[in-house]
Amino acid sequence: MKMTGISRRDFVKLLGAGGAASALGLVGGCETVPASAASAASAKAAPRVVVVGGGFGGATCAKYLRIYDPSLNVTMIEQNANFVTCPGSNWVLGGMRTMADITHSYAALRSKHGVNVMHDRVVSIDAARRSVALASGKSVEYDRLVMAPGIDFRWGAIEGYDEAASELVPHAWKAGPQTLLLQKQLQAMPDGGTFIICPPPMPFRCPPGPPERVSMVAHYFKTHKPRSKILILDAKEGFSKQGLFMDAWDELYPGMIEFVPASKGGKVQRVDVKTRTVYTDEGLTTHKGDVVNFIPAQRAGAIAGASGLANESGWCPVNQHTFESTLVPNVHVIGDAAVAGDLPKSGHTANNIAKMTAASIVSLFRGVKPPLPSHVNTCYSLVSPEYGISVAAVYRLNEKGVLEGVKGAGGLSPKDAPRLQRVQEANYAQGWYKGITQDSFG
Ligand SMILES: Cc1cc2nc3c(=O)[nH]c(=O)nc-3n(C[C@H](O)[C@H](O)[C@H](O)COP(=O)(O)OP(=O)(O)OC[C@H]3O[C@@H](n4cnc5c(N)ncnc54)[C@H](O)[C@@H]3O)c2cc1C
């Protein structure tokens, strides 16, 4: 494994030098820190880190903990046998990918990186005893715990939409059976039918996800059911990369897509999943869909709330330097579940945060100052298989300890770019997917 920009010796020096380590924000792949250097501080038993959740945050953190310090005893607890990525799940709806293409195993974490992967569900945490209890009845002890449970939904926040309702009107905002259900409904829809999508209020995972879904469904309709329509009933006034998406929709899918913002009657008040009817405007206006995709408001994964890691916002406050919880000591919360300043909730940031948190944990075990973080997010969206757009940004801690976007760094794909650039960005999107999944699970 190659280091990005810094050598093996420099990494050890940087960890020792603490604050000088902002270069670590660039760690796309860090070479193994020699066990001898790692364990000089601790001749006793290897420290134990337990990671809860094997998504972009958890899997990356478990892997990089072992890469940064192979003497660590790292256990990752994940409830599912494999991981199905949300990135790429819209491409499945568009017919560009299969579910198998977006399903990843944990074999490499076990065999290549020496992570002890357990398939079980964490039901509670005993912070005083530093142990987690599992649905199987087992418990696992830790010196430091990393929680990466992703999101859960605020069931019942909108009348008529609870977990049972999602079996009729899917959210498909966790990839897997929900993605397949939505795909099946779209395939069964008659040509000339209406697909209604209802994006959630902020904050939610992957802000450009709903317009990318609209694009991929539009691509599917254009190919298979060209008389069909898409109605976006939004809880917000606008959406990520809106200008770029709308220009592309006008060009690729003219007349197919209608966007209704909250102030113009887009805010959903009630859903009747049996008749696939959505009520807006204090319930005065009804919209009947042939397929409805309702994406509920979100909060940190349920286990985070149940463990006292979330505050009244439903999300988990952390020290944005080390991602250690401000509510429960020795527990780090990473990925979508954490409150992370300006960082969007994305697989890319979950992967970034995971690596920085792994470096922080190794530093804390060694008694040195954790490196200063510098985070990156790049989000590609496909509007069609040959039309990609992106947004990128860099984030650093400000004087208040909050992660803030660095002015002038990153930006959006240019408006009115030549078509070749859109084609290139579509290729980059697929390259990004390969890279991030390899880095997280490979
Ligand atoms: C349609 C869509 C498209 C997206 N596209 C992109 C994209 O193009 N680029 C991008 O960067 N991001 C994208 N995202 C966002 C991305 O999927 C999330 O931000 C990312 O998955 C967050 O990582 P995480 O580790 O916090 O959570 P997750 O990846 O969801 O992982 C959480 C894991 O924790 C496990 N878990 C939860 N509770 C327990 C428990 N009690 N016990 C054991 N295991 C548990 C879950 O089973 C899950 O495997 C997209 C999201 C959606 C919905």
Side-chain angles (χ1 to χ4, degrees), residues 90-97 182-192 195 212-230 252-253 256-257 291 382-385:
N90 287 333
W91 306 353
V92 171
L93 300 176
M96 290 174 56
R97 286 285 185 283
L182 181 55
Q183 184 188 41
K184 246 171 79 187
Q185 292 185 355
L186 288 165
Q187 286 169 348
M189 195 186 98
D191 188 9
F195 169 60
E212 188 194 52
R213 177 165 293 171
V214 167
S215 307
M216 286 289 97
V217 172
H219 168 70
Y220 169 71
F221 285 168
K222 187 175 170 176
T223 324
H224 295 94
K225 304 173 183 189
R227 293 190 297 113
S228 306
K229 298 275 182 227
I230 301 177
L252 301 174
Y253 314 115
M256 188 186 279
I257 301 164
V291 177
L382 288 185
V383 193
S384 84

Side-chain angles (χ1 to χ4, degrees), residues 137-266:
K138 294 181 194 147
S139 64
V140 187
E141 293 184 347
Y142 62 83
D143 295 301
R144 281 197 177 261
L145 177 64
V146 178
M147 293 290 287
I151 56 138
D152 265 302
F153 300 107
R154 295 177 189 270
W155 300 118
I158 293 290
E159 193 188 334
Y161 200 80
D162 56 14
E163 193 163 4
S166 71
E167 296 302 320
L168 292 174
V169 163
H171 52 77
W173 220 242
K174 287 188 183 186
Q178 279 276 309
T179 316
L180 279 175
L181 179 61
L182 181 55
Q183 184 188 41
K184 246 171 79 187
Q185 292 185 355
L186 288 165
Q187 286 169 348
M189 195 186 98
D191 188 9
T194 301
F195 169 60
I196 301 180
I197 179 169
C198 310
M202 295 292 279
F204 69 103
R205 86 166 8 163
C206 196
E212 188 194 52
R213 177 165 293 171
V214 167
S215 307
M216 286 289 97
V217 172
H219 168 70
Y220 169 71
F221 285 168
K222 187 175 170 176
T223 324
H224 295 94
K225 304 173 183 189
R227 293 190 297 113
S228 306
K229 298 275 182 227
I230 301 177
L231 177 62
I232 310 167
L233 297 173
D234 208 322
K236 305 177 294 304
E237 286 309 303
F239 53 86
S240 171
K241 298 183 247 181
Q242 185 166 346
L244 290 170
F245 271 114
M246 286 189 144
D247 285 353
W249 291 345
D250 282 346
E251 184 185 332
L252 301 174
Y253 314 115
M256 188 186 279
I257 301 164
E258 184 188 354
F259 168 62
V260 186
S263 61
K264 300 240 163 72

Side-chain angles (χ1 to χ4, degrees), residues 53 55 57 78-79 83 86 122 148 150 173 205-206 335-336 346-348 432:
E78 162 58 49
Q79 59 197 350
F83 186 69
C86 286
V122 174
W173 220 242
R205 86 166 8 163
C206 196
D336 285 353
S346 76
H348 197 123
W432 173 87

Side-chain angles (χ1 to χ4, degrees), residues 369-381:
K369 196 172 163 203
L372 271 177
S374 180
H375 295 285
V376 182
N377 183 56
T378 308
C379 181
Y380 289 100
S381 304

